[in-house]
């Protein structure tokens, strides 16, 4: 009989906890004051001493890459000038003019600092490109899969052909979709919150990184021969034993995992965690292709991680996924690192990410 | 933050704890379990992916906290449902009232096997007919999908609730139902507060 669980008040601890809590509030207040008042004063002093404004100092002290771009971005965002604050929201075509305006606002001589304009432009293009990528990805995600739309249907059929070239589909609604990892007869219901973005990513993966995609699909369909201990075996009947031994134990579904990884990549992008990777890997503006290649990398890495973790069955999926997410976030904290190199579409099939 | 500062300043202790209940949430894929729980926790519901495996959410209500174990509804996951019944104190069964006849039949089968399962048969059930906003939705009054007999005596020991109408399902467990009834009252109260809440898109009965 399940007993009702009661949560008892932890009054003995609350008094002890209050003392360090108020210290923490004080620390936060001090940090806040520093950020608002002292830091500006510090910047002013350093500018007078070195003769260079913050943007110049960042460009001279850092190599091109994520570290530099991230610093420029935070410098622009925290600036007291309206022009600099709004610079991160401009259209890519206005980047050049915006940089010229910033240089003249900061009273920097372009002749004595020829490289500065170019560096700032490169950084701003990346910043603006990332924001536009977020908008583009969000648009794709919000677009629901529509059976009436022939373009959507074509993409879905193409996905089947890429992954299962040798077996034709018996119909648009068929149990065969489960072979590539959809939950039911109609893949439409599985796209849900990820919309068309999920389908785009899966198709890109199947088309451009075919070898890996087919490998992942193949592994997901293998029955796993679990080593059952003799103790467990003696308790089971023969039928149960047979079933357990050849149970498609991992239950790893290609398409559903793909949609989950799209969700992971999407949350990394929107939270800004992917900036480190994209600013390092895309010297030009980050675009959808970069995002899709990141997806391919994440699929491959997750598959490896899943095999390493060796979970009993699909019910452990969320636990493994959360662990993987934490691992990727940790990797992304290093501003000098990229998750994977970027390849032009034509080269991708030649190189294993 | 403000509330925390106020309490720290006035040396008031933390608010009194609410009782917690372990509930399992089941239903076919696409019925809306994840969306329901996310909405109850005031989280975003537009970026939901199919639940692979299970997920646990602590859903806060004014007078209770429900630790809901939500199980995925795909065929490959349904077979593991019974593994997670242990320790549950209540069941929430969500079904898509706008789905096809075959799907409703499958839902009915699952619901009946859950009602008969030894670990769940004594627990209160809350059955939610979701997707009521769709034109094809069957109304809650149509007991077609529940296939519950009109007599009060059924082989099931569970107390079933659907849209606030409680139908007595067993006469043999009056003692246990005392506790179950309290839980149900609390669940019903929380459920009522869902109905009044304006943020409910799909849940208007």
């Amino acid at each position: 009989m399940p007993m009702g669980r009661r949560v008892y008040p932890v009054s003995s601890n609350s008094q002890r906890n209050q003392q360090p809590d108020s210290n923490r509030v004080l620390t936060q207040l001090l940090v806040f004051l520093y950020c608002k008042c002292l830091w500006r004063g510090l910047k002013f002093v350093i500018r007078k001493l070195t003769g260079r404004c913050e943007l110049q100092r960042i460009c001279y002290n850092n190599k091109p890459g994520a570290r530099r771009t991230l610093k420029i971005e935070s410098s622009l965002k925290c600036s007291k000038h309206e022009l600099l604050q709004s610079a991160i929201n401009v259209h890519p075509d206005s980047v050049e003019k915006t940089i010229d305006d910033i240089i003249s606002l900061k009273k920097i001589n372009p002749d004595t600092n020829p490289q500065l304009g170019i560096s700032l432009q490169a950084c701003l293009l990346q910043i603006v490109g990332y924001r536009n990528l977020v908008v583009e990805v969000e648009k794709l995600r919000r677009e629901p899969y529509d059976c009436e739309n022939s373009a959507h249907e074509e993409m879905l059929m193409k996905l089947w052909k890429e992954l299962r070239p040798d077996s034709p589909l018996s119909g648009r609604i068929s149990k065969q979709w489960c072979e590539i990892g959809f939950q039911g007869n109609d893949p439409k219901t599985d796209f849900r919150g990820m919309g068309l973005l999920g389908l785009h990513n899966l198709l890109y993966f199947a088309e451009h990184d075919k070898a890996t995609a087919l490998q992942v699909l193949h592994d997901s369909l293998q029955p796993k021969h679990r080593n059952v201990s003799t103790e467990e075996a003696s308790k089971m009947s023969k039928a149960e034993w047979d079933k357990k031994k050849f149970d498609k134990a991992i239950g790893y579904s290609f398409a559903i995992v793909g949609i989950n990884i799209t969700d992971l990549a999407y949350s990394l992008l929107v939270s800004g965690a992917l900036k480190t990777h994209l600013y390092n890997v895309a010297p030009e503006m980050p675009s959808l292709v970069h995002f899709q290649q990141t997806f391919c990398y994440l699929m491959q890495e997750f598959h490896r991680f899943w095999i390493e973790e060796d979970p009993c069955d699909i019910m452990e999926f969320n636990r493994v996924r959360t662990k993987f997410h934490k691992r990727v976030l940790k990797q992304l904290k290093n501003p000098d690192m990229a998750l994977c190199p970027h390849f032009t579409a034509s080269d991708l099939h030649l190189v294993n990410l | 933050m403000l509330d925390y500062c106020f309490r720290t300043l006035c040396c008031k202790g933390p608010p009194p704890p609410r009782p917690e209940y372990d509930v399992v949430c089941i239903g076919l894929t696409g019925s809306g379990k994840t969306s329901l729980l996310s909405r109850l926790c005031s989280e975003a519901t537009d970026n939901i992916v199919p639940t692979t495996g299970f997920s646990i959410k602590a859903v806060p209500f004014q007078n209770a906290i429900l630790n809901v174990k939500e199980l995925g509804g795909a065929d490959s996951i349904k077979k593991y449902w019974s593994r997670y019944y242990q320790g549950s104190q209540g069941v929430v069964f969500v079904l898509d009232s706008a789905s096809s006849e075959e799907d409703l039949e499958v839902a009915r089968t699952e619901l009946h096997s859950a009602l008969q399962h030894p670990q769940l048969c004594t627990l209160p059930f809350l059955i939610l007919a979701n997707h009521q906003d769709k034109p094809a939705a069957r109304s809650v009054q149509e007991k077609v999908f529940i296939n519950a007999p009109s007599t009060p005596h059924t082989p099931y020991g569970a107390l079933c609730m659907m849209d606030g109408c409680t139908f007595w399902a067993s006469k043999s467990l009056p003692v246990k139902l005392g506790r179950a009834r309290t839980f149900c009252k609390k669940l019903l109260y929380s459920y009522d507060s869902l109905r009044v809440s304006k943020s409910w898109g799909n849940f208007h009965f």
Side-chain angles (χ1 to χ4, degrees):
Chain A
M1 215 190 302
M3 298 294 286
R5 213 169 72 224
R6 295 250 162 229
V7 178
Y8 291 102
V10 254
S11 53
S12 52
N13 280 337
S14 60
Q15 284 300 107
R16 258 187 280 141
N17 282 341
Q18 264 168 28
Q19 197 57 11
D21 277 347
S22 55
N23 276 348
R24 204 179 57 188
V25 173
L26 192 63
T27 318
Q28 282 176 349
L29 189 64
L30 284 174
V31 167
F32 171 77
L33 276 174
Y34 167 75
C35 289
K36 274 283 159 180
C37 319
L38 297 173
W39 164 69
R40 282 204 193 281
L42 203 65
K43 264 186 28 170
F44 175 78
V45 167
I46 295 179
R47 179 171 185 163
K48 286 297 167 196
L49 283 176
T50 60
R52 289 185 192 154
C53 72
E54 191 178 27
L55 293 175
Q56 275 177 299
R57 290 196 303 273
I58 295 172
C59 285
Y60 285 124
N61 297 339
N62 294 282
K63 288 197 313 273
R67 206 182 271 271
R68 188 176 77 172
T69 311
L70 286 168
K71 283 187 179 167
I72 295 278
E73 190 172 2
S74 66
S75 171
L76 289 173
K77 267 199 262 192
C78 301
S79 169
K80 58 183 189 281
H81 293 289
E82 176 68 39
L83 173 66
L84 271 73
Q85 270 180 24
S86 58
I88 54 176
N89 290 323
V90 299
H91 192 271
D93 297 337
S94 336
V95 161
E96 211 176 319
K97 183 175 180 311
T98 311
I99 296 298
D100 288 338
D101 291 340
I102 290 176
I103 289 182
S104 53
L105 176 75
K106 289 283 181 180
K107 297 191 182 64
I108 300 168
N109 189 345
D111 299 324
T112 53
N113 301 282
Q115 193 58 29
L116 183 67
I118 301 170
S119 306
L120 281 179
Q121 256 186 57
C123 289
L124 194 58
L125 266 173
Q126 282 190 315
I127 294 167
V128 159
Y130 188 95
R131 287 179 160 250
N132 285 354
L133 177 59
V134 171
V135 169
E136 195 182 346
V137 163
E138 180 66 20
K139 205 170 119 193
L140 263 181
R141 184 190 74 80
R142 282 192 187 272
E143 196 180 341
Y145 182 89
D146 183 8
C147 307
E148 311 288 318
N149 188 325
S150 55
H152 298 184
E153 290 283 297
E154 223 177 278
M155 281 178 69
L156 192 60
M157 289 304 163
K158 196 151 183 236
L159 182 65
W160 175 268
K161 280 202 201 77
E162 294 287 336
L163 294 173
R164 282 273 197 242
D166 303 325
S167 71
L169 256 183
S170 58
R172 166 66 176 79
I173 313 276
S174 141
K175 209 80 184 104
Q176 282 175 289
W177 287 112
C178 297
E179 287 172 38
I180 58 169
F182 285 105
Q183 286 190 117
N185 297 340
D186 189 351
K188 171 182 83 160
T189 55
D190 289 336
F191 291 121
R192 286 188 213 175
M194 287 300 119
L196 220 54
L197 182 66
L199 182 56
H200 269 275
N201 279 348
L202 283 172
L203 191 56
Y204 187 92
F205 187 42
E207 279 181 328
H208 294 95
D209 201 1
K210 210 189 198 70
T212 317
L214 289 174
Q215 181 65 48
V216 173
L217 179 61
H218 174 263
D219 288 346
S220 72
L221 297 171
Q222 292 313 301
K224 194 167 158 194
H225 294 252
R226 285 203 59 225
N227 292 327
V228 187
S229 68
T230 42
E231 204 185 299
E232 278 179 51
S234 59
K235 291 184 189 151
M236 283 187 255
S237 69
K238 177 151 194 326
E240 272 177 24
W241 161 259
D242 281 334
K243 184 174 179 297
K244 213 173 171 79
K245 198 163 158 224
F246 294 100
D247 204 3
K248 241 199 284 187
I250 65 169
Y252 187 96
S253 321
F254 180 83
I256 293 297
V257 169
I259 293 171
N260 269 278
I261 298 294
T262 297
D263 183 30
L264 198 120
Y266 167 79
S267 69
L268 286 173
L269 180 75
V270 162
S271 67
L274 219 49
K275 280 182 188 171
T276 323
H277 166 69
L278 288 178
Y279 289 163
N280 275 328
V281 131
E284 68 282 19
M285 273 179 48
S287 68
L288 191 63
V289 173
H290 295 103
F291 180 71
Q292 287 173 323
Q293 286 188 1
T294 311
F295 169 78
C296 296
Y297 165 82
L298 288 171
M299 276 295 273
Q300 194 177 341
E301 272 308 297
F302 181 77
H303 186 63
R304 261 192 222 140
F305 188 71
W306 176 269
I307 293 174
E308 249 174 55
E309 285 286 303
D310 193 25
C312 304
D313 51 45
I314 193 68
M315 296 310 276
E316 296 200 56
F317 181 80
N318 280 330
R319 178 191 69 80
V320 176
R321 186 197 137 143
T322 310
K323 201 167 165 187
F324 179 68
H325 193 170
K326 285 201 176 111
R327 193 174 90 158
V328 173
L329 279 173
K330 198 166 159 199
Q331 284 177 293
L332 286 170
K333 276 205 161 69
N334 179 357
D336 296 322
M337 219 197 82
L339 294 176
C340 63
H342 171 66
F343 296 99
T344 58
S346 51
D347 291 341
L348 198 58
H349 68 281
L350 295 172
V351 186
N352 204 2
L353 284 172
Chain B
M1 180 67 189
L2 209 60
D3 178 54
Y4 168 76
C5 287
F6 181 72
R7 274 195 274 118
T8 318
L9 286 171
C10 298
C11 299
K12 278 197 184 330
R18 290 166 279 180
E20 293 188 17
Y21 297 98
D22 293 328
V23 171
V24 66
C25 181
I26 50 177
L28 297 190
T29 177
S31 51
K33 306 178 286 294
T34 316
S35 303
L36 153 71
L37 294 171
S38 299
R39 192 70 79 99
L40 283 172
C41 295
S42 311
E43 289 170 11
T45 51
D46 68 340
N47 58 350
I48 303 239
V49 294
T51 310
T52 317
F54 74 95
S55 76
I56 302 189
K57 262 193 163 67
V59 183
F61 289 103
Q62 217 175 18
N63 56 350
I65 296 177
L66 296 185
N67 293 322
V68 184
K69 206 179 287 176
E70 184 221 327
L71 306 176
D75 290 342
S76 53
I77 299 170
K78 265 191 321 196
K79 57 189 182 186
Y80 298 112
W81 279 1
S82 47
R83 230 200 264 173
Y84 299 89
Y85 291 165
Q86 175 79 27
S88 305
Q89 295 164 283
V91 181
V92 178
F93 192 95
V94 186
L95 47 87
D96 180 0
S97 42
S99 56
S100 66
E101 275 305 323
E102 305 151 29
D103 289 340
L104 273 183
E105 188 57 49
V106 177
R108 193 179 313 172
T109 318
E110 291 300 333
L111 177 58
H112 283 235
S113 58
L115 284 167
Q116 286 173 304
H117 195 279
Q119 282 171 330
L120 300 183
C121 58
T122 56
L123 303 178
F125 270 63
L126 176 63
I127 300 155
L128 291 173
N130 202 356
H131 299 277
Q132 284 286 303
D133 54 320
K134 295 209 181 128
R138 285 117 176 117
S139 76
V140 176
Q141 264 54 49
E142 284 176 55
K143 289 181 187 165
V144 170
F145 53 83
I146 182 79
N147 199 24
S150 49
T151 70
H153 308 301
T154 72
Y156 312 133
L159 183 71
C160 296
M161 268 194 299
M162 204 166 51
D163 190 26
C165 64
T166 314
F167 49 101
W168 188 266
S170 164
K171 62 170 183 169
S172 60
L173 301 162
V175 175
K176 286 174 190 157
L177 280 171
R179 205 182 56 238
R181 192 182 278 131
T182 322
F183 168 68
C184 284
K185 259 201 210 144
K186 293 199 155 92
L187 199 58
L188 197 55
Y189 169 82
S190 328
Y191 177 57
D192 265 350
S193 67
L194 294 182
R195 281 164 66 179
V196 219
S197 159
K198 290 206 175 35
S199 60
W200 281 108
N202 297 339
F203 282 79
H204 40 261
F205 283 84

